[in-house]
Amino acid sequence: MLRMRNVVILLGSPGAGKGTQARLLRERFRIPKISTGDILRQQAQNGNGAHTLATQMNAGGLVPDDVVNRAVVERIQLADCERGFVLDGYPRNLSQARFLESQLHPPDRILAIEIQAQCEDLLFRLLSRTYCPRCGTTYTTQNDAAGVQRRCEECGGLLQKRKDDREDVIRTRFKEYEQVTGPLIAHYAASGVFHQVHGNLPVHQVFNRIEALVQQALSIPMPQTA
Ligand code: AMP
């Protein structure tokens, strides 16, 4: 018998907190977090087409669907995705959403949650954000007063600024989200699997709401607490 996979899709403008919430969901439900941005940033550092990929990403545009879809298919086939997974940054347009659906089959279930926030509030957050290229954790802290590069609290990696966290590129990414990813809201609402949460609240409050939605809509057995 096929096992049910619970698929949580996090939508939201750049900086809305998808990565942070995906990480909390991973810890709470012990299902992997799949961030296409993290996967693509790794690919943009080495391998075939790395330079083109880096150029596309640094300009704030979307990379071609076939590149992203291939990366997602490879990732969701791994054994740790057997009970489900959280998608952070995928799908980003209708064609990716349809592709994802073609890879799922009953009894799999989808829940799409948009973390809502105003772009102007997010701009500052993104401009002051650093991230760990090793594990993808993001921080709103800059280097310390002496300009010393900080280390990631999760894995010790050296924190960096993302090349696309520049005001002009951020504005392009906001527009991309509104125009290209926005239509996914109607797509998921039409199948009754769409919810929104306010992103302008403390992280744990946003998470409480998301956790409740996941518990109501999906059937992820609670991991045993140690
Ligand atoms: P993110 O880390 O989600 O902000 O993504 C960073 C960049 O990676 C985006 O601006 C795109 O260039 C690329 N990217 C990430 N996910 C996707 C996707 N699902 N489709 C196309 N491009 C993507």
Side-chain angles (χ1 to χ4, degrees):
M1 203 180 79
L2 279 174
R3 230 176 145 170
M4 179 195 296
R5 287 176 299 179
N6 294 283
V7 180
V8 183
I9 296 169
L10 292 182
L11 300 169
S13 279
K18 301 184 294 297
T20 301
Q21 296 298 329
R23 196 164 305 113
L24 293 171
L25 284 171
R26 175 181 68 193
E27 282 158 22
R28 180 74 181 96
F29 295 101
R30 311 256 167 87
I31 54 174
K33 151 189 185 292
I34 302 176
S35 156
T36 45
D38 286 348
I39 296 173
L40 294 168
R41 270 184 289 281
Q42 294 278 343
Q43 289 184 5
Q45 281 179 3
N46 40 45
N48 280 347
H51 178 71
T52 314
L53 200 53
T55 309
Q56 286 162 340
M57 293 174 75
N58 294 344
L62 293 187
V63 313
D65 289 345
D66 59 329
V67 175
V68 194
N69 289 340
R70 201 176 321 123
V72 169
V73 166
E74 281 172 14
R75 182 63 188 87
I76 67 177
Q77 279 168 0
L78 299 186
D80 64 343
C81 291
E82 179 181 71
R83 292 190 312 124
F85 42 90
V86 185
L87 290 168
D88 157 20
Y90 181 91
R92 276 296 225 272
N93 58 30
L94 272 174
S95 113
Q96 292 180 10
R98 295 200 176 104
F99 179 82
L100 173 66
E101 282 147 32
S102 76
Q103 301 301 308
L104 303 177
H105 30 69
D108 295 341
R109 291 194 198 169
I110 283 187
L111 175 67
I113 302 172
E114 184 187 40
I115 306 172
Q116 269 188 317
Q118 295 301 314
C119 290
E120 287 311 313
D121 298 334
L122 299 178
L123 181 65
F124 177 74
R125 215 191 258 187
L126 288 171
L127 286 173
S128 56
R129 154 169 107 168
T130 50
Y131 90 110
C132 173
R134 216 195 272 172
C135 72
T137 305
T138 54
Y139 297 86
T140 44
T141 46
Q142 294 284 13
N143 292 339
D144 67 20
V148 176
Q149 217 177 347
R150 286 182 192 270
R151 285 194 178 270
C152 175
E153 287 163 21
E154 303 292 322
C155 75
L158 277 177
L159 302 188
Q160 291 181 4
K161 278 223 61 80
R162 272 173 51 169
K163 291 216 173 74
D164 58 351
D165 278 346
R166 293 179 4 205
E167 182 163 350
D168 54 337
V169 181
I170 292 170
R171 292 200 184 277
T172 306
R173 289 159 60 209
F174 285 158
K175 227 178 261 160
E176 190 83 56
Y177 180 75
E178 243 176 67
Q179 294 172 356
V180 182
T181 310
L184 290 183
I185 292 175
H187 176 76
Y188 290 120
S191 19
V193 297
F194 178 72
H195 294 269
Q196 281 172 323
V197 298
H198 285 293
N200 273 344
L201 296 169
V203 169
H204 68 276
Q205 284 183 30
V206 178
F207 183 65
N208 287 346
R209 177 86 183 106
I210 292 178
E211 183 189 28
L213 287 170
V214 171
Q215 271 173 344
Q216 266 164 35
L218 301 179
S219 60
I220 311 186
M222 279 295 115
Q224 300 298 317
T225 40

